[in-house]
Amino acid sequence: MTHQLIVLDGKTLNPGDNPWTELEAYGKVTVYDRSRVDDIVSRVQSASIAITNKVPFDVNTIDQLPNLKLIAVTATGYNVVDCQHASNRKIVVCNVPAYSTQSVAQHVFAMLLSYLHLPSQHHAAVLDGEWQRRQDFSFTLQPLAELAGKTMGIVGLGQIGRATAKVAEALGMEVLAHSRTQTDPLPYQGFRWLPLDELFAQSDVISFTVL
């Protein structure tokens, strides 16, 4: 049986350097860069597999797609699909639960270090001659701070939270956490589970994660 696969919003996942060719082993692939809600039924009508990132599949939409067997969500969250109704219709729903773990943790510290050190602003200031005009060799636009010895509070200690904590610990930070489930405490010196109000009060930096 040859499946028909419809990618509804492929632009963000393939801006030009991440082709969908591997999917062709599973059937005929049609890729739309973007789809509106009122495009879904006409585009997926005869397909057995729909691939979405943010295009929603609610009860009304699902009921108009009699051939659909699989909704693949190309993201961690699957809240764009009415999973209960899909299950009632015997449509499988799958997602990608851990594709961004390391990149999100990396981005947390890219933002944090940028906030602390203002690299782009310093670069622009140096090019503008501001450093050369100073009387002293030391040039900063603001007081600089070290992360070592600071405390990071992490709200949500799933895969991304744990990856973030690993980087924080490597940088010499103390890690505190709050999570709905408190399993497998981190093996870092000073690690503690705390209620939200205490975590907020004791943390120098707070990272919110959901996985």
Side-chain angles (χ1 to χ4, degrees):
M1 177 181 178
T2 300
H3 292 287
Q4 184 176 0
L5 297 83
I6 305 297
V7 180
L8 287 167
D9 49 353
K11 181 66 175 180
T12 56
L13 288 178
N14 179 23
D17 60 352
N18 186 30
W20 298 92
T21 49
E22 291 190 18
L23 290 180
E24 294 172 359
Y26 302 96
K28 180 183 177 181
V29 180
T30 302
V31 180
Y32 296 97
D33 284 346
R34 301 172 184 86
S35 297
R36 299 171 303 179
V37 171
D38 54 7
D39 292 326
I40 302 172
V41 173
S42 61
R43 291 180 174 181
V44 185
Q45 185 68 46
S46 60
S48 53
I49 299 173
I51 300 172
T52 180
N53 188 286
K54 297 294 183 290
V55 178
F57 282 76
D58 59 16
V59 171
N60 180 59
T61 299
I62 291 172
D63 280 343
Q64 296 180 72
L65 301 171
N67 299 309
L68 197 58
K69 302 299 181 186
L70 170 66
I71 302 173
V73 183
T74 56
T76 301
Y78 46 86
N79 57 298
V80 295
V81 180
D82 189 316
C83 293
Q84 183 59 59
H85 194 64
S87 177
N88 294 341
R89 283 278 315 280
K90 301 189 185 310
I91 298 171
V92 176
V93 178
C94 63
N95 66 333
V96 189
Y99 76 96
S100 62
T101 300
Q102 299 303 324
S103 60
V104 173
Q106 175 178 305
H107 189 69
V108 168
F109 286 91
M111 298 295 288
L112 179 55
L113 291 169
S114 179
Y115 172 77
L116 289 176
H117 297 295
L118 303 178
S120 60
Q121 292 93 323
H122 278 93
H123 175 70
V126 169
L127 292 181
D128 193 45
E130 191 169 342
W131 191 6
Q132 294 93 314
R133 292 192 291 270
R134 294 293 177 95
Q135 293 182 326
D136 304 307
F137 73 92
S138 182
F139 168 62
T140 59
L141 297 176
Q142 67 177 20
L144 303 182
E146 293 184 350
L147 291 178
K150 298 292 190 297
T151 299
M152 171 170 273
I154 299 178
V155 180
L157 201 66
Q159 295 184 62
I160 292 175
R162 288 172 181 271
T164 301
K166 185 176 182 180
V167 179
E169 198 274 338
L171 290 171
M173 302 183 75
E174 180 180 349
V175 177
L176 307 175
H178 173 85
S179 183
R180 287 176 296 180
T181 57
Q182 297 185 5
T183 59
D184 302 325
L186 297 177
Y188 305 147
Q189 183 176 359
F191 174 79
R192 287 172 288 152
W193 297 109
L194 289 178
L196 273 179
D197 56 348
E198 293 184 31
L199 181 142
F200 291 157
Q202 296 183 35
S203 299
D204 297 298
V205 177
I206 299 171
S207 175
F208 290 88
T209 63
V210 294
L211 300 173

